[in-house]
Amino acid sequence: ANTAITVLEDGKIGMGTTSPRVHTEIRGAGQTTANITDSGNSGAFLQVSDTGNGAGAGGGILFSATNDNSTTTPQAGIKSLLTNGGGQGAGNLAFSTRGGTADTALTERMRITNTGNVGVGTSSPDAKISVIGTNNTNQARIGHSTQSLFIKANGVNVDYNSAGNVNGSHTFSTG
């Protein structure tokens, strides 16, 4: 007989294993591709489901640590968001963080849509990568600590420079 769930004396829980190495370990056969199929083996997956079926419903994972108040209020989370409940359903994946110690909710920072678009600073990206920030701030940085390309939208101009400041910047007008 196979043991379905094991709980060790030190509190470690194993599903599919009698010798879990971490607090909770799920062991089983999975799929060998990131294109996960509904009919494929799901023995090595964790599925977090929401019983709702309306727009925005979906499972999630919260990440937390004990804070100064001895509570485990989440600092970050990942949540699926149902966008179309027809057939097998379609949805987005949102990544959220808590911006400050007084904030009472997590704020969405990044989203991957069901069409493959990625948005940073927007929940509705309209391109493969959409980066939206506040006016007159660096919107994107490409490079490393000593040489980077900063992109900033400022009115009808797009500024870029290699130093993160006005020295050596170039402006292209879109109008």
Side-chain angles (χ1 to χ4, degrees):
N2 291 335
T3 303
I5 296 177
T6 299
V7 180
L8 300 180
E9 289 181 17
D10 62 1
K12 292 179 182 170
I13 300 170
M15 290 173 255
T17 177
T18 57
S19 56
R21 294 172 291 145
V22 294
H23 194 70
T24 303
E25 181 175 351
I26 301 170
R27 193 180 298 177
Q31 297 184 30
T32 58
T33 175
N35 295 320
I36 301 163
T37 64
D38 295 334
S39 61
N41 194 330
S42 59
F45 288 94
L46 171 66
Q47 180 170 326
V48 181
S49 300
D50 184 339
T51 58
N53 63 357
I61 301 172
L62 297 174
F63 303 94
S64 65
T66 303
N67 59 30
D68 292 343
N69 296 325
S70 297
T71 61
T72 54
T73 306
Q75 293 90 40
I78 303 172
K79 184 180 183 325
S80 69
L81 299 153
L82 183 69
T83 58
N84 183 335
Q88 303 292 42
N92 298 336
L93 189 61
F95 298 80
S96 303
T97 63
R98 188 176 307 276
T101 58
D103 292 352
T104 59
L106 301 180
T107 301
E108 182 177 331
R109 307 295 181 181
M110 184 175 80
R111 182 177 292 213
I112 303 172
T113 68
N114 62 315
T115 60
N117 290 350
V118 176
V120 177
T122 178
S123 61
S124 54
D126 57 0
K128 284 297 173 192
I129 298 178
S130 296
V131 180
I132 308 296
T134 58
N135 191 27
N136 209 21
T137 62
N138 290 329
Q139 306 295 317
R141 177 180 179 174
I142 303 169
H144 57 83
S145 61
T146 59
Q147 293 181 342
S148 296
L149 171 68
F150 290 81
I151 302 171
K152 168 175 68 173
N154 184 4
V156 296
N157 298 324
V158 176
D159 299 328
Y160 80 93
N161 62 68
S162 59
N165 56 40
V166 294
N167 298 330
S169 75
H170 304 274
T171 302
F172 297 93
S173 176
T174 59

